[in-house]
Structure formats: C-alpha cells, structure tokens
Amino acid sequence: GAVVSQHPSWVICKSGTSVKIECRSLDFQATTMFWYRQFPKQSLMLMATSNEGSKATYEQGVEKDKFLINHASLTLSTLTVTSAHPEDSSFYICSAPSGDTPYEQYFGPGTRLTVT
Amino acid sequence: KQEVTQIPAALSVPEGENLVLNCSFTDSAIYNLQWFRQDPGKGLTSLLLIQSSQREQTSGRLNASLDKSSGRSTLYIAASQPGDSATYLCAVSTDSNYQLIWGAGTKLIIKP
C-alpha cells in the first residue's frame, strides 16, 4: 500500500520558537494532504487541508498565521508551528488520499511536539 | 451535517472472544467508510475500507459491514488476541474531496 512519512517523529522545542513538520507521500503523488492534531485520549481534529500549488484551507478556529502550511510539491507538505507555546504541545498527524478510487486515506506515523 | 458516533467508548473482553464494534453516521450519503486502529502514542493503521456500493470487506480475522440505509457499520473481530488491544476509529467521507468525518473511537482491551 501507499506510504506516508513524517519528520520528525518527535520534537521538543522552547516556547517562542518555530517548528517545522514534514509530510511526504513516498510512492504516490498527493495534490491534497490533511493535517490533524490529536490531544491525549481524544480523536483526531482536522486542522487544515493542504493543496498543492495553492493556499491551504483552515478549519474554523485554527489560526492560519500560527500554523503555516506549504504544499510545495506533489509529494511534500509542511506544517510550521510559529511562536510555539506549551498549549501547542500535541500529536500532529498528516494524511493523503491515494488519488485513485476509492480514495483511501493513508496516514503518516505522527509527530509528537512538546513545547517547554 | 454529518456526525459519526462509536459505541461503546471502551470495551474489555477476555482473549479468544469474538466481538463487534459499532459505528453510526447521520447522513447516509457517504462516499466510503474506513476503519483504523491506533496504538497508544502511535499513528493510524488503516484496517478496512468499504465503498458506498459495498456491503462488507474482510481482512484476516476482521470483517467490516456497511448498511448505508440505516447509517451503520460494524467491525467484527474474531478470536480476539491481546495484540488487538488498541483504539479503533471509524471515519466516513461524504464526497470525493477526501475529507474524513471521525468517530471518537472505541478503546479495546483484550485480557490474556
């Protein structure tokens, strides 16, 4: 099956710094990717839809200036958490649909962000 | 607005039992439905995908059914094993824009 990778798998940063998370589709092209965050013992919350070559679409309540998304190629989307604060600590997961019917979604392994 | 509900929120059963996890959705106009498993602190593993035109899918000890008219899907796990312990999530897509609507998950514990 298709593979989606994320890098880094975990990161610790100091409050006020920025962190970039990469999401790559390794063996298929993805014009669309999704970014989620997950708090402990909760389900996934969609943050934004990343579109190759155009601006991302953010869900209500998600600050687009804080969570910068760049989908520069058909295999790479990045999420940058700017001026991170402890409340941004979370598990961030990306996904990409295969592009073929039935549009199965493939998920990255997630990135654990801890802001101190 | 599509809403997805999973019942029960948690389930604990002895090893070897067969079990059923439930997923319901409010709008029957779905594109497909996926079942995932998530281990603690890990990403998601796709288990089964059922297209809207299908009634069920099987993979090993897992069988997922879909009844669009009643807005329900079940995930049947046969001969459960401790390694099946995880949180199981179902998600539906309502059109080809790929976006998934998620249930809150069922936390499954299989006792040795």
Side-chain angles (χ1 to χ4, degrees), chain A residues 32 34 36 38 43-44 46 49 59 91 93 97 101-105 107-109 112, chain B residues 31-32 34 36 38 41-44 46 49 51 89 96-100 102-104:
Chain A
T32 300
F34 297 96
Y36 297 86
Q38 186 179 34
S43 191
L44 282 73
L46 179 65
T49 302
E59 296 300 301
F91 192 54
I93 305 176
T101 55
Y103 304 116
E104 185 168 358
Q105 293 253 8
F107 283 77
R112 171 80 53 197
Chain B
Y31 197 78
N32 62 40
Q34 281 187 259
F36 299 88
Q38 186 176 31
K42 303 292 185 181
L44 277 74
S46 178
L49 178 147
Q51 297 183 61
L89 296 157
S96 60
N97 74 355
Y98 315 132
Q99 193 171 117
L100 294 175
W102 294 87

Side-chain angles (χ1 to χ4, degrees), chain B residues 6 21 35-38 47 62 75 77 83-90 103-108:
Chain B
Q6 288 187 248
L21 307 181
W35 281 94
F36 299 88
R37 102 172 243 165
Q38 186 176 31
L47 298 174
L62 306 179
L75 179 66
I77 302 177
D84 295 330
S85 298
T87 295
Y88 290 80
L89 296 157
C90 76
T106 294
K107 183 176 182 179
L108 177 64

Side-chain angles (χ1 to χ4, degrees), chain A residues 19-60:
Chain A
V19 175
K20 179 184 286 187
I21 302 170
E22 294 186 348
C23 177
R24 294 183 185 271
S25 56
L26 297 185
D27 50 1
F28 67 102
Q29 294 182 332
T31 56
T32 300
M33 291 184 175
F34 297 96
W35 286 98
Y36 297 86
R37 69 186 296 181
Q38 186 179 34
F39 292 107
K41 299 184 180 181
Q42 295 187 25
S43 191
L44 282 73
M45 183 192 80
L46 179 65
M47 298 176 64
T49 302
S50 172
N51 303 298
E52 188 271 334
S54 64
K55 292 183 179 180
T57 304
Y58 290 83
E59 296 300 301
Q60 191 172 11

Side-chain angles (χ1 to χ4, degrees), chain A residues 52-115:
Chain A
E52 188 271 334
S54 64
K55 292 183 179 180
T57 304
Y58 290 83
E59 296 300 301
Q60 191 172 11
V62 178
E63 300 176 60
K64 61 181 180 181
D65 294 330
K66 179 168 188 60
F67 299 100
L68 301 179
I69 292 174
N70 186 333
H71 196 145
S73 76
L74 289 172
T75 60
L76 174 64
S77 175
T78 61
L79 168 68
T80 300
V81 183
T82 63
S83 187
H85 289 97
E87 57 264 32
D88 298 324
S89 299
S90 189
F91 192 54
Y92 292 87
I93 305 176
C94 70
S95 73
S98 65
D100 300 322
T101 55
Y103 304 116
E104 185 168 358
Q105 293 253 8
Y106 297 96
F107 283 77
T111 296
R112 171 80 53 197
L113 170 63
T114 301
V115 184

